[in-house]
Amino acid sequence: MRAAVVVSGLAGLVLAAGALAGCAGSDGPAVPAVESSPSTAAPSAADGVATPQSSTPPASPVPSGAVNEDTGEVVGEHAVPVWDAAAKASAAHAASAAMTAFLRPELDYETWWADLEPLLTYEAAVGYSYTDPANVPASKVTGPAVVRDGDSAYLASVEVPTDAGTYTVVLVRADGDAPWLVERLNPPVAKG
Amino acid sequence: MARGKGGATALAAGVTAAALVLVLSLVLAGPRSAAAGCNPPADAVDVDPSALPATQVGTFGQDQLGVAAQILAAGRALGLGVRDQTIGVMTALGESSLRALDHGDAVGPDSRGVFQQRDNGAWGTLADRMDPFASASNFFRALAVVEGRESLEPTIVAHRVQRNADPFHYARFWDDAVAIVEAFAGTDLPLTPGTGGQVCTGQGVASQAFVNTAGWASPGAGPVVSRFGMRANPGKVNPGQYRLHAGTDLAGGGCDGPIYAVADGVVIDASLHARVGGVGVIAVDHGAGVTTRCLHMYASGILVRVGQQVTAGQQIGRVGSSGNSTGCHLHFETLVNGSPTDPEPYMATVGITLGSQRKDRP
């Protein structure tokens, strides 16, 4: 699946370049063509999910720089993430940093939270902001982080050993330019 | 086993934490949820703790059910509803498996009792902490002042009382808690198994959509109410500006209509985005460079978490109207290698006609 992402990522660059060239010089409101010519090729079943051939062109070129009215995102502004050695290394670093900040039961809450909060997603911050650092059962990271291969270049699952067992840190990034942020600091699975 | 330890040291820090969350919420400036109608009413106190089930419930025997009865009675005495009572049982399951433990653990050697309350002044005397009814009463008094708890996941409500390390620890104990409370009630209650980590606990089991032979499903009910393309923004944020409507809008069955994963994949976003009015977003990476997104759910309508695997046709959300929206609908996006792509022709290539009222090609 990773390989597929990388390969079709290249195809996407070609498509994006085509879209750029197509819209250069056209300032008027490009009325989107509603009709399209979807590929008639049978969907492939690779990876268990059939996806349309990546050669299927978009129905209408979306102008680069167009703003998504619902999310505020700018089309083409950020790179599509790729799962490569650099991504793994940055995920391992982010996971270790977050665990190091999390495992400081001796700290007062304000100091602990000020260091941890910037490393978390908003959703994670809402949850972990109510944790009392004195109740965290581990006190230090005891070894290097191990990055597991997963199903998406947007996600990383990283095992971080501590003096109270191995945590599994789930990280997510919004795009290829965005930092890894922590979604979950999953403790060792309780026995019994 | 015990992980949570409520704390009074905590009270001061708790206020700070609440303030921080308040600030974060203000930044988001969007509705966190519209959960009022999806949980049992707070005053629904119907479970009679004296009706101890005659036999064991699941793996829980008479001693543990006796402790559960004390917890239910404590919640009832404080006028709390069945959802709160069940959160109490869930918390005790996660702390002690419903046993009045006379010992703590590595992180809290001073923790005692069913709720593993610490010796920090917040939870009364040792006798109080060891007594199921008294300790449950103190637990529920702290729970009763958790702001907006009807709009929070059960595990998060428990965590805000216990302040343990892992906010998501208790979710896995919800189903057992529901089974125990229903055994006392002698009837099904408006509490749904599998919702210990969801805001809405009373809306029944999630549904499953039709999946075609190619492994694809429709994200929600039709008809199509707005198409993909550049347009003058009709929304309430930046109205009239020339913007990309990056998806297809579906009526989706109206408010709370089911939203489905269109194919197998993994959730890469399940949150409210701050940039445009706190719009709810669920994004699923299906592999091969294909990502789909659903927008406008409220927090209560986001039923999945980042990192969760989903299957085609699995319900992942409920239709809402958060963000740049003037009424409940489902905005569905397909992104190919990160580029917004018209969902209607894209989905047609996998045999799904968006907005169709009939079953798509089986």
Side-chain angles (χ1 to χ4, degrees):
Chain A
M1 196 171 283
R2 298 284 188 201
V5 169
V6 174
V7 170
S8 50
L10 290 172
L13 283 177
V14 174
L15 274 178
L20 264 175
C23 84
S26 86
D27 289 325
V31 177
V34 177
E35 294 305 317
S36 70
S37 51
S39 165
T40 53
S44 80
D47 290 333
V49 174
T51 53
Q53 300 304 300
S54 58
S55 60
T56 304
S60 63
V62 172
S64 187
V67 178
N68 183 323
E69 71 184 20
D70 288 296
T71 64
E73 294 159 316
V74 178
V75 174
E77 185 179 29
H78 294 295
V80 175
V82 176
W83 185 250
D84 56 12
K88 290 188 187 188
S90 59
H93 183 265
S96 292
M99 283 302 297
T100 301
F102 185 60
L103 304 184
R104 295 197 291 173
E106 74 285 1
L107 287 187
D108 64 280
Y109 176 85
E110 282 77 10
T111 307
W112 172 81
W113 184 243
D115 288 347
L116 179 62
E117 193 272 341
L119 309 178
L120 308 178
T121 66
Y122 172 80
E123 302 294 315
V126 170
Y128 288 98
S129 66
Y130 284 85
T131 290
D132 181 345
N135 287 334
V136 176
S139 63
K140 61 176 184 287
V141 172
T142 56
V146 176
V147 182
R148 296 198 303 219
D149 279 326
D151 297 319
S152 172
Y154 290 88
L155 294 176
S157 182
V158 183
E159 293 175 354
V160 180
T162 78
D163 55 350
T166 298
Y167 274 66
T168 303
V169 182
V170 176
L171 304 105
V172 62
R173 53 180 173 172
D175 54 62
D177 302 326
W180 289 108
L181 294 175
V182 169
E183 179 74 14
R184 290 286 183 103
L185 300 162
N186 288 321
V189 177
K191 298 168 194 70
Chain B
M1 135 197 349
R3 196 165 269 114
K5 322 280 170 313
T9 48
L11 279 180
V15 169
T16 308
L20 280 168
V21 169
L22 178 61
V23 168
L24 289 168
S25 300
L26 289 174
V27 169
L28 257 183
R32 289 286 300 157
S33 74
C38 68
N39 285 313
D43 59 353
V45 186
D46 289 313
V47 178
D48 180 0
S50 65
L52 196 64
T55 58
Q56 65 177 41
V57 176
T59 61
F60 305 103
Q62 290 294 300
D63 288 353
Q64 289 156 298
L65 295 175
V67 169
Q70 295 294 309
I71 295 170
L72 294 173
R76 190 185 214 199
L78 290 168
L80 298 176
V82 69
R83 185 180 194 252
D84 292 334
Q85 288 175 301
T86 308
I87 290 171
V89 173
M90 174 191 74
T91 305
L93 283 166
E95 294 292 353
S96 67
S97 291
L98 293 171
R99 296 182 193 281
L101 302 177
D102 63 354
H103 58 83
D105 61 11
V107 60
D110 55 335
S111 301
R112 290 293 182 277
V114 169
F115 290 90
Q116 287 286 283
Q117 290 158 338
R118 297 189 77 162
D119 183 19
N120 54 21
W123 306 109
T125 64
L126 177 60
D128 288 339
R129 292 185 289 135
M130 286 298 297
D131 180 76
F133 185 88
S135 61
S137 298
N138 284 327
F139 171 85
F140 282 126
R141 285 189 192 100
L143 176 143
V145 295
V146 171
E147 197 171 338
R149 66 186 188 279
E150 301 84 4
S151 301
L152 297 171
E153 303 89 334
T155 186
I156 295 297
V157 176
H159 177 253
R160 290 192 183 180
V161 176
Q162 299 293 92
R163 303 201 64 217
N164 56 313
D166 179 9
F168 311 100
H169 168 67
Y170 304 100
R172 77 190 75 133
F173 302 100
W174 174 256
D175 292 4
D176 280 341
V178 170
I180 289 170
V181 176
E182 288 190 337
F184 277 95
T187 181
D188 282 350
L189 295 169
L191 299 166
T192 308
T195 59
Q198 295 180 4
V199 171
C200 292
T201 55
Q203 281 197 324
V205 178
S207 58
Q208 167 76 34
F210 171 81
V211 180
N212 70 16
T213 53
W216 288 76
S218 183
V224 170
V225 290
S226 184
R227 299 205 137 97
F228 177 94
M230 298 298 297
R231 68 179 185 185
N233 176 14
K236 64 190 181 192
V237 181
N238 304 311
Q241 295 190 12
Y242 193 61
R243 294 286 163 96
L244 173 64
H245 184 233
T248 299
D249 285 349
L250 296 162
C255 298
D256 287 329
I259 299 171
Y260 304 103
V262 294
D264 293 354
V266 60
V267 177
I268 59 172
D269 193 355
S271 66
L272 304 185
H273 284 210
R275 219 173 348 168
V276 180
V279 60
V281 176
I282 297 173
V284 179
D285 185 344
H286 303 290
V290 178
T291 298
T292 59
R293 300 200 301 188
C294 299
L295 270 59
H296 301 308
M297 299 74 57
Y298 297 109
S300 59
I302 297 176
L303 307 183
V304 289
R305 291 241 177 218
V306 167
Q308 182 177 337
Q309 300 282 340
V310 295
T311 57
Q314 176 181 341
Q315 186 177 350
I316 56 175
R318 292 192 190 94
V319 171
S321 186
S322 65
N324 188 21
S325 170
T326 52
C328 285
H329 71 285
L330 167 58
H331 170 102
F332 173 71
E333 297 184 358
T334 51
L335 296 113
V336 179
N337 301 313
S339 297
T341 302
D342 188 345
E344 288 188 83
Y346 184 90
M347 294 298 288
T349 64
V350 292
I352 299 293
T353 305
L354 289 180
S356 170
Q357 298 300 312
R358 61 176 170 74
K359 297 254 189 236
D360 288 281
R361 286 181 252 156

